[in-house]
Amino acid sequence: MSKDLSRRGFLTGAAATGALAAFGAMVGCSPAQPSGAADASKDAAPTQADAAPAKASDSAQAGSQGGWSWETAPAPIADADIVETVESDIVIVGAGIAGVTAALRASQLGASVTVVEKMPFPSSRGGHYAAYQSKAMTNAGIMNDPKDEVVSDWLRFSANRTKEELAWLFMDRSSEVMDWLDDLSGDQLNIIPIYTRYAGKQYYEHLGTHVIRGDFPDNENKVSAPVYFMWKQAEEGGVRFVFDTAGEQLVKEGDRVSAVVAKGADGYKKFVGTKAVILATGDISGDEEMIEAYGDKLGLKPAVNAYTPQGANTGDGQKMGMWVGGRMQEYPVPTMIHLIRYCGLSFGFMYVNQEGSRFMNEDTWIQAKSVRIMEQPGGEFAWSVFDANWADDVARSIPLAGGQFWDDMSRTSVEWTPESATKVIDGAIEAGNGFKCDTLEELADAMGVDKQTFLAEVENYNKLYEAGEDTQFHKRAELLSAIKEPPFYALKFGPSLLAMPGGLEINEKLQVLDQNDEPIEGLYAIGNASGGRYAVDYPVFINGNSHGSAMTWGYVAAENIMGK
């Protein structure tokens, strides 16, 4: 199959056949470590364990040469090979945040539910959860912007390639879902609205971000608090979780999807959903071939692919859905690229590349910063440079800008204070991902940049500050700051691919659509297995909206199936 084949037409023939983290320690002003050392984690991203390089694989190259590996649906698994058949009202494939939300809500509504998960326990990542206007926000005196403004930004940031009905589904139902979880959890979860957001002129993030905390002593695998809570609540409600069992094929009887066949240690099992099968298998960022097929080249550009858990998010649900007649979303699956390598803060100070040159207007959001860094020589990291007055400069900037990696990731007060950032800076210095020096010359040596180039850039930046105008990259004058008073600092930061949030085309009821935009009876897709929410870039119009919409989709899908 040619790579140029349209996404809408793909597989028509085949279908007919079937928070801020602590950093390591190393105090002092010493040469920079080699790129790739001592990566950082953050509240809004998972621990970066065993991160895999995001380079084109042999299979991806094979796809570009004339055929994707999933182009032809596999032969049906024979009934003789199935060792057990399990019947439930609803079968959910995938136990991430979308899957466990759907399972819990469906069980509350009286459904018998089985959740099939390829990993040994539920998957979770990140620490931000969005809702338009939760009661926790209202109680804290936080009021969001009008819905029309939020939806307008969502559509604009996705180049108007988002399904508008899905944007409104989130806006109209996400608060209900967050409040449902809040009421259900009582004292077991602490749902806290936060103030961190980017408030620039060209890119604006709305309020609605939450952190959700909970202390569960038996949470040995460090599953995120809301996922762990809903998992255990669902089990208490009678939901059956089957782990270490990977969904491989959907079963279609006539025009209806009736079951999924999954493989575990003891062989194939058939899980029948008398009411529905829900695909909640996550994104495609663990399959480089799918990134090439359905994303764009940007998805393969980051030097590190930090999706977690390793081996999970390989587009299984997307492939199974296409094999029974579904189709992938019309527009490219966007990249979620965050500044999660090395140091978890970069602020909005002067940025220089690995050669010591300033290369961008630092007054922008995380995806733009990530792309700019990848365009530079080396393309893996940059340096944020500032002086002893950094705390005052940051505090002055927060009302004007802020946002992830500029601001604290989980700030729960209106005013920014330097305590948390100080810990991050100290940790970065200890890890060799930051330097603190008495002179700019020493700082250049520590960073490993060209000294003459770097000193000239600092001198020019100071002149721009004194003139009150950035004639180089046109940063807002009020965000310029001097780099004159020792000690001088440099923080190393860089981008990593975190997810590719997109999948099967769905309607506003979360039903998977076929090639003619008709719903496939009995088949739903939620979370990152579903498409239509985003395109081009992952827009942080509200930080944590991917998690927030995944919860909303799971909750709403359960209600739609149960006729509520």
PDB file of all heavy atoms in Angstrom, residues 22 26 41 49 82 120 135 145 153 175 185 192 196 222 240 254 320 335 346 362-363 532:
ATOM      1  N   ALA A  22      12.386  15.737  41.829  1.00  0.00           N
ATOM      2  CA  ALA A  22      13.708  15.987  42.391  1.00  0.00           C
ATOM      3  C   ALA A  22      14.739  15.546  41.377  1.00  0.00           C
ATOM      4  O   ALA A  22      14.490  14.706  40.538  1.00  0.00           O
ATOM      5  CB  ALA A  22      13.889  15.215  43.693  1.00  0.00           C
ATOM      6  N   MET A  26      24.943  16.773  42.263  1.00  0.00           N
ATOM      7  CA  MET A  26      26.325  17.053  41.924  1.00  0.00           C
ATOM      8  C   MET A  26      26.512  18.558  41.972  1.00  0.00           C
ATOM      9  O   MET A  26      26.262  19.280  41.022  1.00  0.00           O
ATOM     10  CB  MET A  26      26.715  16.545  40.538  1.00  0.00           C
ATOM     11  CG  MET A  26      28.216  16.634  40.307  1.00  0.00           C
ATOM     12  SD  MET A  26      28.684  15.865  38.761  1.00  0.00           S
ATOM     13  CE  MET A  26      28.872  17.340  37.773  1.00  0.00           C
ATOM     14  N   SER A  41      11.878  14.364  35.372  1.00  0.00           N
ATOM     15  CA  SER A  41      10.443  14.097  35.294  1.00  0.00           C
ATOM     16  C   SER A  41       9.726  15.268  35.913  1.00  0.00           C
ATOM     17  O   SER A  41      10.319  16.126  36.529  1.00  0.00           O
ATOM     18  CB  SER A  41      10.099  12.801  36.032  1.00  0.00           C
ATOM     19  OG  SER A  41      10.386  12.908  37.393  1.00  0.00           O
ATOM     20  N   ALA A  49      11.514   6.430  32.628  1.00  0.00           N
ATOM     21  CA  ALA A  49      12.247   5.177  32.745  1.00  0.00           C
ATOM     22  C   ALA A  49      12.369   4.519  31.391  1.00  0.00           C
ATOM     23  O   ALA A  49      11.397   4.387  30.661  1.00  0.00           O
ATOM     24  CB  ALA A  49      11.525   4.238  33.708  1.00  0.00           C
ATOM     25  N   ILE A  82      -9.354 -21.030  21.278  1.00  0.00           N
ATOM     26  CA  ILE A  82      -9.836 -20.220  22.396  1.00  0.00           C
ATOM     27  C   ILE A  82     -10.051 -21.115  23.617  1.00  0.00           C
ATOM     28  O   ILE A  82     -10.833 -22.068  23.572  1.00  0.00           O
ATOM     29  CB  ILE A  82     -11.130 -19.481  22.011  1.00  0.00           C
ATOM     30  CG1 ILE A  82     -10.819 -18.459  20.903  1.00  0.00           C
ATOM     31  CG2 ILE A  82     -11.745 -18.783  23.218  1.00  0.00           C
ATOM     32  CD1 ILE A  82     -12.021 -17.780  20.322  1.00  0.00           C
ATOM     33  N   PRO A 120       0.576  -5.550  33.443  1.00  0.00           N
ATOM     34  CA  PRO A 120       0.238  -6.263  34.679  1.00  0.00           C
ATOM     35  C   PRO A 120      -0.601  -5.462  35.670  1.00  0.00           C
ATOM     36  O   PRO A 120      -1.061  -6.003  36.669  1.00  0.00           O
ATOM     37  CB  PRO A 120       1.612  -6.600  35.273  1.00  0.00           C
ATOM     38  CG  PRO A 120       2.556  -5.625  34.677  1.00  0.00           C
ATOM     39  CD  PRO A 120       2.030  -5.315  33.314  1.00  0.00           C
ATOM     40  N   LYS A 135     -16.593  21.942  41.020  1.00  0.00           N
ATOM     41  CA  LYS A 135     -16.993  22.565  42.281  1.00  0.00           C
ATOM     42  C   LYS A 135     -15.771  22.914  43.118  1.00  0.00           C
ATOM     43  O   LYS A 135     -15.809  23.876  43.903  1.00  0.00           O
ATOM     44  CB  LYS A 135     -17.950  21.651  43.049  1.00  0.00           C
ATOM     45  CG  LYS A 135     -17.341  20.387  43.621  1.00  0.00           C
ATOM     46  CD  LYS A 135     -18.367  19.648  44.465  1.00  0.00           C
ATOM     47  CE  LYS A 135     -17.757  18.425  45.132  1.00  0.00           C
ATOM     48  NZ  LYS A 135     -18.741  17.703  45.979  1.00  0.00           N
ATOM     49  N   ASP A 145     -13.109  31.257  32.076  1.00  0.00           N
ATOM     50  CA  ASP A 145     -13.579  32.123  31.005  1.00  0.00           C
ATOM     51  C   ASP A 145     -14.832  31.513  30.382  1.00  0.00           C
ATOM     52  O   ASP A 145     -15.109  30.323  30.542  1.00  0.00           O
ATOM     53  CB  ASP A 145     -12.483  32.269  29.949  1.00  0.00           C
ATOM     54  CG  ASP A 145     -11.211  32.887  30.519  1.00  0.00           C
ATOM     55  OD1 ASP A 145     -11.328  33.903  31.233  1.00  0.00           O
ATOM     56  OD2 ASP A 145     -10.123  32.347  30.257  1.00  0.00           O
ATOM     57  N   ASP A 153     -10.502  28.884  21.287  1.00  0.00           N
ATOM     58  CA  ASP A 153      -9.057  28.652  21.359  1.00  0.00           C
ATOM     59  C   ASP A 153      -8.720  27.202  21.007  1.00  0.00           C
ATOM     60  O   ASP A 153      -7.739  26.934  20.314  1.00  0.00           O
ATOM     61  CB  ASP A 153      -8.532  28.989  22.752  1.00  0.00           C
ATOM     62  CG  ASP A 153      -8.348  30.481  22.957  1.00  0.00           C
ATOM     63  OD1 ASP A 153      -8.322  31.214  21.948  1.00  0.00           O
ATOM     64  OD2 ASP A 153      -8.229  30.916  24.113  1.00  0.00           O
ATOM     65  N   SER A 175     -17.091  18.974  33.908  1.00  0.00           N
ATOM     66  CA  SER A 175     -17.272  19.411  35.297  1.00  0.00           C
ATOM     67  C   SER A 175     -18.083  18.390  36.083  1.00  0.00           C
ATOM     68  O   SER A 175     -17.775  18.084  37.239  1.00  0.00           O
ATOM     69  CB  SER A 175     -17.970  20.775  35.332  1.00  0.00           C
ATOM     70  OG  SER A 175     -17.230  21.731  34.606  1.00  0.00           O
ATOM     71  N   SER A 185     -15.073   9.949  45.950  1.00  0.00           N
ATOM     72  CA  SER A 185     -13.828   9.637  46.657  1.00  0.00           C
ATOM     73  C   SER A 185     -13.796  10.146  48.087  1.00  0.00           C
ATOM     74  O   SER A 185     -13.031   9.636  48.917  1.00  0.00           O
ATOM     75  CB  SER A 185     -12.637  10.220  45.888  1.00  0.00           C
ATOM     76  OG  SER A 185     -12.689  11.635  45.866  1.00  0.00           O
ATOM     77  N   ILE A 192      -7.505  19.279  43.666  1.00  0.00           N
ATOM     78  CA  ILE A 192      -7.052  20.645  43.915  1.00  0.00           C
ATOM     79  C   ILE A 192      -6.934  21.413  42.599  1.00  0.00           C
ATOM     80  O   ILE A 192      -6.138  21.044  41.725  1.00  0.00           O
ATOM     81  CB  ILE A 192      -5.672  20.646  44.608  1.00  0.00           C
ATOM     82  CG1 ILE A 192      -5.680  19.711  45.822  1.00  0.00           C
ATOM     83  CG2 ILE A 192      -5.269  22.059  45.011  1.00  0.00           C
ATOM     84  CD1 ILE A 192      -4.295  19.425  46.370  1.00  0.00           C
ATOM     85  N   THR A 196      -1.473  27.466  37.620  1.00  0.00           N
ATOM     86  CA  THR A 196      -0.428  27.474  36.608  1.00  0.00           C
ATOM     87  C   THR A 196      -1.028  27.511  35.200  1.00  0.00           C
ATOM     88  O   THR A 196      -1.846  26.665  34.854  1.00  0.00           O
ATOM     89  CB  THR A 196       0.443  26.212  36.740  1.00  0.00           C
ATOM     90  OG1 THR A 196       1.004  26.190  38.046  1.00  0.00           O
ATOM     91  CG2 THR A 196       1.562  26.206  35.720  1.00  0.00           C
ATOM     92  N   LYS A 222       2.738   2.412  42.060  1.00  0.00           N
ATOM     93  CA  LYS A 222       2.667   3.868  41.917  1.00  0.00           C
ATOM     94  C   LYS A 222       1.738   4.295  40.779  1.00  0.00           C
ATOM     95  O   LYS A 222       2.055   5.191  39.992  1.00  0.00           O
ATOM     96  CB  LYS A 222       4.068   4.454  41.721  1.00  0.00           C
ATOM     97  CG  LYS A 222       5.025   4.122  42.863  1.00  0.00           C
ATOM     98  CD  LYS A 222       6.334   4.865  42.735  1.00  0.00           C
ATOM     99  CE  LYS A 222       7.341   4.445  43.808  1.00  0.00           C
ATOM    100  NZ  LYS A 222       6.812   4.447  45.162  1.00  0.00           N
ATOM    101  N   ARG A 240     -14.536  -7.067  36.670  1.00  0.00           N
ATOM    102  CA  ARG A 240     -13.447  -8.047  36.565  1.00  0.00           C
ATOM    103  C   ARG A 240     -12.323  -7.459  35.723  1.00  0.00           C
ATOM    104  O   ARG A 240     -12.541  -7.038  34.590  1.00  0.00           O
ATOM    105  CB  ARG A 240     -13.948  -9.335  35.929  1.00  0.00           C
ATOM    106  CG  ARG A 240     -12.846 -10.378  35.707  1.00  0.00           C
ATOM    107  CD  ARG A 240     -13.388 -11.631  35.046  1.00  0.00           C
ATOM    108  NE  ARG A 240     -12.335 -12.611  34.801  1.00  0.00           N
ATOM    109  CZ  ARG A 240     -12.519 -13.798  34.208  1.00  0.00           C
ATOM    110  NH1 ARG A 240     -13.744 -14.141  33.831  1.00  0.00           N
ATOM    111  NH2 ARG A 240     -11.515 -14.622  34.016  1.00  0.00           N
ATOM    112  N   GLY A 254     -22.222 -10.135  11.765  1.00  0.00           N
ATOM    113  CA  GLY A 254     -22.999  -9.257  10.903  1.00  0.00           C
ATOM    114  C   GLY A 254     -22.377  -7.881  10.906  1.00  0.00           C
ATOM    115  O   GLY A 254     -21.190  -7.715  10.624  1.00  0.00           O
ATOM    116  N   MET A 320      -7.135  -2.808  15.610  1.00  0.00           N
ATOM    117  CA  MET A 320      -8.296  -3.699  15.704  1.00  0.00           C
ATOM    118  C   MET A 320      -9.547  -3.019  15.155  1.00  0.00           C
ATOM    119  O   MET A 320     -10.374  -3.652  14.477  1.00  0.00           O
ATOM    120  CB  MET A 320      -8.522  -4.120  17.161  1.00  0.00           C
ATOM    121  CG  MET A 320      -7.507  -5.122  17.677  1.00  0.00           C
ATOM    122  SD  MET A 320      -7.971  -5.819  19.294  1.00  0.00           S
ATOM    123  CE  MET A 320      -7.667  -4.415  20.372  1.00  0.00           C
ATOM    124  N   THR A 335       1.303  15.624  17.896  1.00  0.00           N
ATOM    125  CA  THR A 335       2.365  15.281  18.842  1.00  0.00           C
ATOM    126  C   THR A 335       2.123  15.991  20.164  1.00  0.00           C
ATOM    127  O   THR A 335       1.692  17.138  20.190  1.00  0.00           O
ATOM    128  CB  THR A 335       3.728  15.711  18.299  1.00  0.00           C
ATOM    129  OG1 THR A 335       3.675  17.109  17.965  1.00  0.00           O
ATOM    130  CG2 THR A 335       4.107  14.921  17.069  1.00  0.00           C
ATOM    131  N   SER A 346      12.376  26.012  32.915  1.00  0.00           N
ATOM    132  CA  SER A 346      13.181  26.817  31.992  1.00  0.00           C
ATOM    133  C   SER A 346      12.829  28.287  32.088  1.00  0.00           C
ATOM    134  O   SER A 346      13.555  29.136  31.570  1.00  0.00           O
ATOM    135  CB  SER A 346      12.982  26.328  30.557  1.00  0.00           C
ATOM    136  OG  SER A 346      11.604  26.292  30.221  1.00  0.00           O
ATOM    137  N   GLU A 362      11.421  33.785  23.703  1.00  0.00           N
ATOM    138  CA  GLU A 362      11.167  32.853  24.801  1.00  0.00           C
ATOM    139  C   GLU A 362       9.755  32.974  25.367  1.00  0.00           C
ATOM    140  O   GLU A 362       9.339  32.152  26.193  1.00  0.00           O
ATOM    141  CB  GLU A 362      12.181  33.087  25.918  1.00  0.00           C
ATOM    142  CG  GLU A 362      13.629  32.907  25.501  1.00  0.00           C
ATOM    143  CD  GLU A 362      14.282  34.162  24.934  1.00  0.00           C
ATOM    144  OE1 GLU A 362      13.564  35.176  24.748  1.00  0.00           O
ATOM    145  OE2 GLU A 362      15.496  34.139  24.680  1.00  0.00           O
ATOM    146  N   ASP A 363       9.026  33.962  24.918  1.00  0.00           N
ATOM    147  CA  ASP A 363       7.673  34.223  25.397  1.00  0.00           C
ATOM    148  C   ASP A 363       6.674  33.411  24.583  1.00  0.00           C
ATOM    149  O   ASP A 363       5.947  33.924  23.733  1.00  0.00           O
ATOM    150  CB  ASP A 363       7.379  35.720  25.271  1.00  0.00           C
ATOM    151  CG  ASP A 363       5.945  36.074  25.645  1.00  0.00           C
ATOM    152  OD1 ASP A 363       5.309  35.288  26.377  1.00  0.00           O
ATOM    153  OD2 ASP A 363       5.475  37.139  25.199  1.00  0.00           O
ATOM    154  N   GLY A 532     -10.361  12.876  16.643  1.00  0.00           N
ATOM    155  CA  GLY A 532     -11.228  14.034  16.513  1.00  0.00           C
ATOM    156  C   GLY A 532     -11.058  15.105  17.562  1.00  0.00           C
ATOM    157  O   GLY A 532     -11.597  16.204  17.419  1.00  0.00           O
TER     158      GLY A 532
END
